[in-house]
């Protein structure tokens, strides 16, 4: 399957982007490439939440049960966390990953910080189920590996720090099924919301590598405006 899209740049001053896609569709992987190539700020809601869980903050204690069970964290908690994160990078171009994922979150975000580009990753479910089985992450940084796709240099260790890698509680098969169902019922309305506004671009494929050239060109075109 080949990535297809046309990406027309919007006449906007700053890059205010969102990357959408089902669990394990490659949002984090694509975001890392965008950050590396275009030097923009990246805010991953899942990485921020897992960081709070790891350091044992009040927020981390509050959200751990939701994340481990594959349930959405309440909208108000998410909106205030992400709004704070956005405020800290308002002088830069930024990309949100994992937020918004309910219509309430999307509408609130659009009022606070209007989004002008949404990259929508569409990857078949069978591919996603294969990926989560082989995913390993470095919890403190959010760096992500996949056995056979982007292996760590030393098995089980993070490339940068040498610290141990772990598997996510919510990558257990039964939890992944629930996350995929929630995506279909609660996040597909967000896809429709952005499509109606006219800022959404679809990228379809089985691998990140085949989708990447079209995504890269789209971001470059948007940034050059
Ligand atoms: P997250 O962390 O936002 P998800 O479910 O949206 O979780 P996830 O699982 O982080 O998304 P991803 O970022 O889309 O997936 O994908 P990825 O990590 O880049 O890639 C998946 C794997 O595939 C990796 O191992 C990668 O190396 C590999 N891979 C990538 N491309 C390829 C390829 O081409 N080939 C192969 N073979 N492998 C590849 O949210 C987690 C939880 O936090 C809460 C919820 O509880 C949520 O479940 N949460 C929120 N709750 C409410 N509202 C919000 N806005 C929330 N945000 C987070
Ligand atoms: Mg991710």
């Amino acid at each position: 399957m080949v990535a297809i899209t046309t990406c027309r740049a919007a006449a906007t001053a700053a890059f205010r982007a969102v990357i959408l896609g089902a669990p394990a569709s490659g949002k984090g992987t694509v975001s890392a490439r965008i950050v590396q190539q275009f030097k923009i700020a990246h805010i991953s809601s899942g990485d921020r939440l897992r960081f709070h869980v790891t350091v044992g903050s009040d927020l981390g204690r509050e959200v751990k049960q939701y994340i481990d069970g594959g349930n959405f964290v309440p909208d108000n908690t998410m909106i205030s966390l992400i709004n704070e994160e956005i405020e800290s990078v308002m002088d830069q171009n930024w990309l949100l990953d994992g937020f918004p994922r309910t219509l309430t979150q999307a509408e609130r975000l659009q009022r606070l910080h209007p989004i002008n580009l949404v990259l929508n990753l569409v990857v078949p479910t069978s591919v996603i189920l294969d990926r989560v089985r082989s995913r390993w992450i470095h919890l403190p940084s959010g760096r992500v590996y996949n056995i056979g796709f982007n292996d760590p240099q030393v098995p089980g260790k993070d490339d940068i720090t040498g610290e141990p890698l772990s598997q996510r509680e919510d990558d257990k098969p039964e939890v992944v099924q629930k996350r995929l169902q929630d995506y279909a019922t609660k996040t597909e309305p967000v896809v429709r919301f952005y499509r109606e506004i006219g800022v959404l671009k679809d990228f379809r494929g089985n691998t990140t590598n085949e989708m990447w050239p079209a995504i890269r060109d789209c971001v470059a075109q948007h940034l050059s405006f």
Side-chain angles (χ1 to χ4, degrees):
M1 215 190 296
V2 176
I4 38 150
T5 187
T6 52
C7 186
R8 209 172 300 123
T12 46
F15 183 84
R16 302 290 182 241
V18 164
I19 187 162
L20 279 179
S25 56
K27 299 182 294 296
T29 306
V30 168
S31 297
R33 292 186 188 192
I34 293 174
V35 168
Q36 192 186 18
Q37 180 137 3
F38 299 103
K39 314 286 176 232
I40 64 171
H42 169 229
I43 300 170
S44 159
S45 56
D47 287 353
R48 294 315 298 156
L49 291 169
R50 282 185 290 277
F51 172 79
H52 278 279
V53 171
T54 304
V55 300
S57 69
D58 288 347
L59 175 63
R61 281 194 293 278
E62 179 193 330
V63 301
K64 185 176 183 339
Q65 49 167 340
Y66 293 105
I67 298 174
D68 288 353
N71 294 307
F72 282 10
V73 172
D75 283 337
N76 283 342
T77 307
M78 288 312 304
I79 291 163
S80 79
L81 169 70
I82 299 301
N83 195 37
E84 234 173 72
E85 298 280 341
I86 291 174
E87 296 291 343
S88 71
V89 295
M90 274 307 279
D91 55 337
Q92 301 172 49
N93 292 316
W94 47 254
L95 170 69
L96 303 182
D97 159 3
F99 181 96
R101 67 219 274 157
T102 65
L103 201 49
T104 303
Q105 292 176 15
E107 288 170 347
R108 287 280 292 279
L109 177 67
Q110 201 62 18
R111 281 199 295 274
L112 291 167
H113 307 289
I115 296 302
N116 47 45
L117 177 64
V118 177
L119 308 168
N120 183 37
L121 309 187
V122 186
V123 175
T125 305
S126 56
V127 173
I128 284 176
L129 293 173
D130 274 349
R131 284 183 190 178
V132 287
R133 277 192 280 272
S134 321
R135 170 160 56 184
W136 289 85
I137 62 163
H138 178 242
L139 267 172
S141 68
R143 269 186 293 281
V144 64
Y145 302 88
N146 204 274
I147 307 309
F149 173 66
N150 59 337
D151 296 80
Q153 285 157 14
V154 176
K157 306 276 186 206
D158 177 47
D159 287 354
I160 309 293
T161 63
E163 290 168 348
L165 302 177
S166 35
Q167 287 201 286
R168 284 170 42 173
E169 272 299 308
D170 61 350
D171 274 349
K172 289 179 181 154
E174 63 279 14
V175 182
V176 172
Q177 285 296 351
K178 175 169 190 345
R179 288 164 61 205
L180 287 169
Q181 274 161 19
D182 277 351
Y183 188 82
T185 56
K186 297 180 186 168
T187 309
E188 282 296 341
V190 175
V191 174
R192 287 197 290 278
F193 171 80
Y194 284 126
R195 204 183 294 287
E196 279 162 21
I197 293 179
V199 295
L200 184 121
K201 315 291 173 195
D202 291 314
F203 300 90
R204 296 173 192 278
N206 287 335
T207 69
T208 296
N209 287 347
E210 73 182 285
M211 296 157 86
W212 172 241
I215 297 172
R216 181 197 55 215
D217 292 353
C218 178
V219 172
Q221 197 181 357
H222 207 86
L223 278 167
S224 69
F225 225 79

